[in-house]
Amino acid sequence: AQTVTQSQPEMSVQEAETVTLSCTYDTSESDYYLFWYKQPPSRQMILVIRQEAYKQQNATENRFSVNFQKAAKSFSLKISDSQLGDAAMYFCAYRPGTQGGSEKLVFGKGMKLTVNP
Amino acid sequence: GAGVSQSPSNKVTEKGKDVELRCDPISGHTALYWYRQSLGQGLEFLIYFQGNSAPDKSGLPSDRFSAERTGGSVSTLTIQRTQQEDSAVYLCASSLVTFNYGYTFGSGTRLTVV
C-alpha cells in the first residue's frame, strides 16, 4: 500500500522568507500524481500544486514550487516570499495513475506552518 | 453549484444517537469521496463513489458507518449509534474522472459526540 510521510509536524518562517516543506512517499507504481494541499482554519482543503510523475520538470505556481525527486520518492514544497496568509496546515498527497486501480488520494499527516511578521 | 457544499457545518450529538451528514458535490463531478480528519491527524479515507459503479467502502471503520449517493449527485454519510471516538471533521470532496486532477473539497462537518 502507498504511504505518504511528512516528518516535520510544525515549521515557522519569517514573512518574506522562503521555507521548504518535506514529503516522502512509498509506492511501487511508476505512474502517479502528487499534490500539496493547504488547510487554513476555515477547514477547506485547497489545492496548492500538483505534479505528474512522468514529468521531469518541477511544477511551479507563482510563489509555490516543488522539488520532485522520483528516484528518491521525495516531493518537497518551496514557498517563496512567505506571506501571513500562507499560515495553515499543509498536506502532501499521492494518487495512483491510470494503472493503479484506485482513485483515492493518500494523505500525509500534515504539517503546521506558522508565518511570523 | 460553484463549490462542494456540506451541511451541517457543525453537529453536536449525544452518544448513541444517529447522525446524517450531507454533501452536495460540484455539478458534473462524477466522483465523490468522504474522508475523516481526527484531531491532529491526516485525512482518513472512508468511501468513494464513481458514477454508477459500486462504491469503494474499504475505508469505513465499522458497520455503524454507511453512505449513499442519490442520482449521482448528493451524498449522505450516516453514522449510527455514535461513539465519542467518532468525533472528527468529516470532509467531502468531488472530482472529475481524470487522474491528474486533485479533488475539490467542502469545508467539512465538525461532529462532536458528547
Side-chain angles (χ1 to χ4, degrees):
Chain A
Q2 296 91 0
T3 58
V4 177
T5 302
Q6 295 179 253
S7 57
Q8 302 154 301
E10 292 192 46
M11 292 187 73
S12 63
V13 63
Q14 291 296 126
E15 196 175 4
E17 297 294 310
T18 296
V19 64
T20 299
L21 287 57
S22 63
C23 172
T24 58
Y25 58 95
D26 186 23
T27 183
S28 58
E29 304 292 331
S30 59
D31 179 26
Y32 51 87
Y33 302 89
L34 297 165
F35 305 86
W36 277 99
Y37 279 87
K38 168 186 177 181
Q39 187 182 40
S42 66
R43 292 198 311 242
Q44 185 172 19
M45 301 281 282
I46 300 166
L47 179 63
V48 174
I49 197 165
R50 61 172 168 254
Q51 174 79 42
E52 293 90 338
Y54 64 84
K55 289 188 177 179
Q56 292 186 335
Q57 185 174 7
N58 290 321
T60 299
E61 289 286 344
N62 300 314
R63 297 182 296 107
F64 299 88
S65 62
V66 299
N67 183 4
F68 173 48
Q69 301 290 329
K70 191 172 183 178
K73 295 179 183 176
S74 172
F75 182 61
S76 61
L77 174 70
K78 185 171 81 171
I79 306 175
S80 304
D81 186 26
S82 297
Q83 301 177 358
L84 295 177
D86 295 333
M89 288 290 295
Y90 285 81
F91 292 89
C92 179
Y94 167 99
R95 186 179 192 181
T98 55
Q99 303 304 315
S102 169
E103 294 188 38
K104 291 179 292 199
L105 277 176
V106 177
F107 287 87
K109 289 189 179 297
M111 192 224 67
K112 181 180 180 181
L113 178 67
T114 301
V115 181
N116 299 311
Chain B
V4 178
S5 177
Q6 290 188 250
S7 61
S9 179
N10 294 281
K11 175 74 175 178
V12 179
T13 190
E14 292 182 352
K15 179 181 174 181
K17 294 287 180 70
D18 297 353
V19 294
E20 286 189 351
L21 312 180
R22 176 187 168 102
C23 173
D24 197 345
I26 291 175
S27 177
H29 281 192
T30 57
L32 185 148
Y33 313 81
W34 284 97
Y35 281 78
R36 178 169 70 175
Q37 185 177 23
S38 302
L39 186 63
Q41 299 296 311
L43 276 71
E44 174 191 7
F45 168 77
L46 296 177
I47 189 169
Y48 156 55
F49 295 91
Q50 170 48 45
N52 296 321
S53 302
D56 177 352
K57 305 179 182 180
S58 61
L60 295 178
S62 76
D63 59 8
R64 296 187 296 104
F65 288 73
S66 63
E68 63 177 19
R69 187 178 185 192
T70 54
S73 181
V74 172
S75 176
T76 302
L77 177 69
T78 301
I79 308 173
Q80 295 178 313
R81 305 181 302 282
T82 51
Q83 304 295 312
Q84 288 186 329
E85 60 264 28
D86 299 334
S87 296
V89 174
Y90 290 82
L91 290 164
C92 175
S94 68
S95 78
L96 294 166
V97 187
T98 47
F99 283 84
N100 66 340
Y101 271 79
Y103 304 165
T104 302
F105 281 86
S107 295
T109 294
R110 181 179 298 281
L111 176 65
T112 303
V113 182
V114 298

